[in-house]
Amino acid sequence: MKLEGVEILKVSIPLVGAFRTSFGTEAVRETLLLRAVTDEGEGWGECGASEAPLYSGEYTHGAADVLSRHLIPGLSGVTDLDAHSVAPALSAFKENRLAKAALETAILDADLRARGIPLSYALGAVRQSVACGVSVGIADSIPELLDTVEGYLADGYLRIKLKIEPGWDIEPVRAVRERFGDIMLQVDANASYERSDIDDLLELDAFALSLVEQPLPADDLLGHAMLGRRLSTPICLDESILSARAAATAIDLDACRIVNIKPGRVGGYLEARRIHDLCVAHGIPVWCGGMLETGVGRAANLALAALPGFTLPGDTSASERYFAEDITPPFRLVDGHIAVPTGPGIGVTPDPDLLARFTVSREWVPVA
Ligand code: OSB
Ligand code: MG
């Protein structure tokens, strides 16, 4: 395959409701879509970065900059380019995993479309639909939170994840548990606690949670291991797991019992699959995280979530949970599940009219 160039589209799509976490509030999904143009056809990828560097060090404008100056030109000398040659060709460039993942996914999509192979099949999927949960942001009040959760349960979501932070943890969790009984319930702290908060975190054990996600800072694997010795609720890591090597270290240290796999955070779907395989070998359940993706990123996440080790419901929610209008045909929840796309590559293509409406700027980066 010969890469002719990549178009970087900056898109801005309103969310149906502002999404509040310990690190900030997002009311508009502002990110990048990449359209890779090759001599064998096109492919699409989505960048997980947001407008500000609050989840990781990456942000939309920075990702566009590193892609156009370094990552896309970095593929110019690669002969016989395919998805597997992208990460090795870019390995000299440090970090920037969300940007690298978007580029690798666009090439992977072009590669698979040209061969007529669905991404789910290429990754090793074993199911046609995946069980879905929903991630619920920090609310202004407990009654408001209960209303939101009630709506999602009525939609059929199979598990609820509550965002927590110091000061918004025990009371909202208790209120949801008391009101809705025996639902599958978990929490995500987005690294907002410190080791000195361990005694407070132990109080979460009273609520039969499926897991607590990333309570401590991303680089504190040892702290998670120390917490895990005292907490009976399983610890799941998100921000700490940047690669298969990081996952292996976390498992060896006993820093987690469950792993959230977000393809963007780890540099792409190929590394995501390696982490899946590693976790399966160690008996560690995994689930697919999300970054408020449009239909482009969502389609690919659904393919990944269909792998055998994804035994817990993911943050792979229906399009309408995020957007009144998405740029692809919407993914719908049916009996708590979403169907895995079956077409070649990621299986969806942005609608040109909707894409035009939500695109803020475009840059064509030719590859020599
Ligand atoms: O920590 O899982 C997270 C969204 C943006 C950044 C980080 C996270 C999230 C979510 C939402 O929890 C997941 C989703 O529904 O896409
Ligand atoms: Mg998380």
Side-chain angles (χ1 to χ4, degrees), residues 80-92:
D80 294 330
L81 180 72
D82 68 11
H84 298 282
S85 48
V86 175
L90 302 180
S91 64

Side-chain angles (χ1 to χ4, degrees), residues 55 161 163 188 190 213-214 238-239 260 262:
Y55 168 78
K161 160 171 142 182
K163 289 288 186 179
D188 183 2
N190 286 111
E213 181 178 345
Q214 197 71 47
D238 173 351
E239 284 89 333
N260 164 336
K262 270 184 199 166

